Amino acid sequence: MKTNDYRVTMDVLASLCKRRGFIFQTSEIYGGINGFWDYGPLGVEMKRNIKACWWKSMTQLREDIVGIDTSIIMHPRVWEASGHIGNFKDPMLDCRETKGRYRADQIFVLKHKTDADALMFTFHEDAPAPAEKKIKKIAKGKVDDYEQVPLLDIPLDAYNQLVGPDTNEPGTLTEPRAFNLMFKTQIGPVEENADVAYLRPETAQGIFAQFGNVCSTVRNKIPFGIAQIGKAFRNEINPRNYTFRSREFEQMELEFFIKPGTDAEQHKYWVTERLNWYEKIGLPEGRMHRDIHEGDALAHYASACTDIMYDFPFGTQELEGIAARGNFDLTQHQETSGKKLEYHDEETKETYLPHVIEPSAGVDRVALALLCEAYREEWIPKGGGEVLTAEVGAKRAPEGYEARIVLGFAPCIAPYKVAILPLLKNKEPLVEKARELYKQLSKRWKCFYDQTGAIGRRYRRQDEIGTPFCVTIDFDTIEKDDTVTIRDRDTMEQIRLPIAELEAYIANIVDF
RNA sequence: GCGGGCGUAGUUCAAUGGUAGAACCCCAGCCUUCCAAGCUGGUUACGACAGUUCGAAUCUGUUCGCCCGCUCCA
């Protein structure tokens, strides 16, 4: 597959997505909320197609993977075991002047022993020297008159006396705020007595927590995988780039359990496997990259992690992370829950905690990448000839050309597979035949019926929503031979085909 | 989260402290025998919430969102 030469800008793409019903801002009539998005009638079809292609490639086309669908709210101790609570509950504070951000529990304060109104000097953990210097320079005082206290012991109304670790002026520090990026809620209707619970920040833990049950019900032999698609929630500090970083998003995660020691080869296998999948749904090799994590970028328990990146118009960004996580997660859950999660290998008579390869993809990011890759504008010469790629940002086509917007989706991704068009709407037999064909094809695919306006306009409309085929019913269909024309979205060329052969022809191209 | 810029139909642009206009798009009708034709008619907007005012899209405040730069990114 070749790359699309046209590079869309995000505002143009967002505008098309709104105009045609792919993506809306959530609760737009109330002004929207940053980081939350709704999929419109076309967007939802497209997104379902992405998920269907993934699900089919994982659970249907191979016998070593099964699916699962776990709940969004899980036992709070799951997040203790996974490390999501421990690492991210610490309050942080910012310095308004230097823009620095500090963990509140790592900041200490030199406070005057007797004068409650005196300036107080903060410093970062084991480095009090700068603060001691400031006592001499700014407060003209003696270090011995000051005592060291944790920042968290300082009352909020005294914060205007605090001099930040990297400033010389008081009053620049914000109050500490919890930066737990998990959405918190409670179980049970009475808030005071409620148990705290969290919306899952990833779907993976549902798989690990049910590992034992899945093993004992489906008799899988290692290596085997468990796949899940579902919503996850992260209270991102700064959602940006349209839907790319959202607070509510959907993941497609596979945990592929393997024999310890086979990590490297399995990881390599899955990176290749996943890149092939992206190529198949319309993301060309030329725009895809691997970002191989090494050293500090690698989590301590991981032996390998490769991000699959796509060249978005706003930069090269991650679509999927493929991590070799060892047996970290199963170990954590086994220790935290006290329940054995070991696997018994009949062949070798060994019992062990399997290692895992985790390909974890963001559905919304894949959808956004597909939209970016699919969008193009063309200039079509009116008298025939070579179609040009339009100039980005050009308001109109040059003299003698007509502009066309196309979403060049892979057929398996396109929201509608076929548009059925009677050549004219005021000729009853044409309409009747078209309705009949629409009904027939709709049993198998999402189809579009349109009789409004000139035929050329209707073709362009379908181009703009990425429908791969337009089937037109004309007078030959009803008067001569029961054939129809099929117009190709990309080449705009037409062939004639008997209606009897239509379904097989389309199926061959649009089915994943 | 910080700093700067910006919010009028789907889009591109208007206008006045007192009835928000146009073009394209969209919808309907007529017409039309294959790539955005034509004619007629129509729907749709002042981001949200307050305040000032007889009256606010316009002035003020708050908030939400978008863009750019920083910051953050398990």
Side-chain angles (χ1 to χ4, degrees):
Chain A
M1 173 175 287
K2 75 189 244 295
T3 57
N4 172 7
D5 298 332
Y6 190 90
R7 283 272 77 184
V8 68
T9 56
M10 293 315 286
D11 53 334
V12 167
L13 185 70
S15 159
L16 174 103
C17 284
K18 184 177 178 187
R19 176 158 40 95
R20 290 303 188 183
F22 282 91
I23 297 170
F24 307 126
Q25 215 172 26
T26 191
S27 23
E28 197 195 64
I29 56 170
Y30 292 101
I33 313 181
N34 195 3
F36 296 93
W37 302 90
D38 294 344
Y39 287 81
L42 272 78
V44 69
E45 295 296 339
M46 180 201 173
K47 200 174 163 188
R48 286 171 62 98
N49 290 341
I50 294 169
K51 290 186 279 183
C53 289
W54 188 89
W55 195 251
K56 187 171 178 182
S57 76
M58 290 295 177
T59 68
Q60 186 177 331
L61 298 178
R62 44 191 307 158
E63 51 186 325
D64 56 354
I65 297 175
V66 294
I68 194 175
D69 184 22
T70 66
S71 66
I72 285 172
I73 292 176
M74 301 175 69
H75 196 288
R77 293 190 66 203
V78 165
W79 309 114
E80 229 173 84
S82 70
H84 283 85
I85 291 182
N87 294 342
F88 304 105
K89 67 181 176 191
D90 306 301
M92 311 278 282
L93 70 159
D94 294 319
C95 175
R96 295 186 190 92
E97 190 182 314
T98 65
K99 315 294 184 202
R101 172 167 292 164
Y102 315 96
R103 256 178 69 174
D105 62 333
Q106 293 176 347
I107 299 295
F108 290 84
V109 179
L110 287 173
K111 181 186 172 196
H112 199 277
K113 286 174 181 165
T114 51
D115 182 359
D117 297 327
L119 289 181
M120 298 183 280
F121 299 91
T122 60
F123 61 95
H124 194 262
E125 267 188 320
D126 307 318
E132 288 169 357
K133 273 188 198 160
K134 287 183 209 169
I135 289 176
K136 291 175 193 157
K137 273 180 94 173
I138 301 170
K140 314 281 186 210
K142 287 186 208 147
V143 175
D144 289 347
D145 294 337
Y146 287 76
E147 59 181 341
Q148 181 174 328
V149 295
L151 174 74
L152 291 169
D153 291 354
I154 303 292
L156 283 181
D157 54 18
Y159 266 51
N160 55 8
Q161 293 161 245
L162 285 174
V163 177
D166 302 304
T167 62
N168 295 319
E169 297 291 326
T172 65
L173 294 179
T174 63
E175 62 182 87
R177 288 158 299 194
F179 267 72
N180 184 350
L181 298 188
M182 281 196 290
F183 281 92
K184 205 187 266 186
T185 184
Q186 89 265 349
I187 299 170
V190 184
E191 201 154 347
E192 305 92 271
N193 304 332
D195 287 320
V196 170
Y198 300 93
L199 305 189
R200 65 182 176 197
E202 59 175 41
T203 56
Q205 297 307 324
I207 298 178
F208 292 121
Q210 290 294 5
F211 175 76
N213 278 334
V214 173
C215 275
S216 62
T217 49
V218 297
R219 299 182 299 124
N220 348 43
K221 296 212 171 28
I222 281 211
F224 74 91
I226 305 176
Q228 170 159 237
I229 297 176
K231 287 265 176 115
F233 305 80
R234 295 182 194 181
N235 220 339
E236 298 287 353
I237 292 168
N238 189 4
R240 256 315 150 82
N241 289 327
Y242 200 30
T243 61
F244 182 80
R245 181 172 296 145
S246 303
R247 291 182 163 129
E248 174 175 343
F249 56 100
E250 206 159 11
Q251 291 186 306
M252 305 183 287
E253 292 197 301
L254 169 68
E255 302 298 337
F256 197 73
F257 297 96
I258 59 169
K259 196 172 171 175
T262 59
D263 305 51
E265 61 178 278
Q266 288 285 356
H267 181 258
K268 195 176 160 201
Y269 165 81
W270 275 106
V271 171
T272 311
E273 191 72 10
R274 295 300 302 143
L275 280 167
N276 289 342
W277 184 82
Y278 284 108
E279 173 97 25
K280 210 169 161 188
I281 63 163
L283 296 178
E285 209 185 337
R287 286 242 164 76
M288 304 295 290
H289 306 279
R290 302 163 197 226
D291 181 19
I292 298 167
H293 291 208
E294 282 163 316
D296 289 350
L298 212 51
H300 65 89
Y301 47 79
S303 63
C305 183
T306 300
D307 284 347
I308 293 183
M309 319 279 284
Y310 169 76
D311 291 331
F312 283 97
F314 49 82
T316 301
Q317 298 281 355
E318 178 188 350
L319 295 182
E320 167 163 348
I322 302 171
R325 297 173 63 84
N327 58 15
F328 175 77
D329 303 274
L330 288 179
T331 303
Q332 289 292 112
H333 284 299
Q334 183 164 280
E335 281 175 11
T336 308
S337 69
K339 303 285 190 311
K340 284 272 183 231
L341 294 173
E342 287 169 331
Y343 171 83
H344 181 68
D345 192 327
E346 288 292 347
E347 275 176 40
T348 62
K349 308 293 178 202
E350 289 172 285
T351 300
Y352 56 83
L353 279 177
H355 284 198
V356 73
I357 307 294
E358 177 188 271
S360 166
V363 183
D364 310 85
R365 289 180 176 189
V366 174
L368 186 60
L370 288 171
L371 283 163
C372 291
E373 190 59 37
Y375 186 101
R376 67 174 189 264
E377 292 181 23
E378 294 177 346
W379 288 338
I380 304 164
K382 281 176 182 164
E386 196 190 346
V387 174
L388 305 178
T389 299
E391 265 173 52
V392 174
K395 288 273 181 209
R396 58 185 61 177
E399 195 61 31
Y401 287 83
E402 278 176 354
R404 168 171 101 127
I405 295 174
V406 189
L407 289 183
F409 291 128
C412 61
I413 295 302
Y416 291 94
K417 306 304 184 195
V418 194
I420 318 313
L421 319 169
L423 186 58
L424 299 172
K425 74 169 168 188
N426 58 356
K427 299 287 187 288
E428 188 52 37
L430 291 178
V431 171
E432 198 181 313
K433 188 75 185 171
R435 294 296 308 176
E436 186 190 315
L437 188 58
Y438 171 70
K439 221 172 155 186
Q440 181 198 325
L441 293 178
S442 292
K443 286 183 185 164
R444 187 150 178 192
W445 299 292
K446 180 84 179 157
C447 298
F448 199 107
Y449 176 82
D450 190 1
Q451 60 176 33
T452 313
I455 190 75
R457 176 187 292 272
R458 283 180 268 161
Y459 286 151
R460 297 295 166 80
R461 231 180 246 151
Q462 294 306 316
D463 293 340
E464 207 173 285
I465 61 174
T467 309
F469 297 112
C470 290
V471 170
T472 302
I473 285 75
D474 60 14
F475 290 93
D476 281 3
T477 315
I478 50 173
E479 290 167 1
K480 270 169 78 181
D481 51 10
D482 213 36
T483 61
V484 291
T485 64
I486 304 182
R487 170 195 181 266
D488 182 273
R489 177 195 65 205
D490 298 318
T491 64
M492 293 180 283
E493 279 163 13
Q494 288 178 302
I495 57 168
R496 270 205 102 80
L497 216 59
I499 287 180
E501 293 172 25
L502 193 58
E503 205 168 313
Y505 176 85
I506 296 168
N508 189 38
I509 295 169
V510 307
D511 287 352
F512 178 82

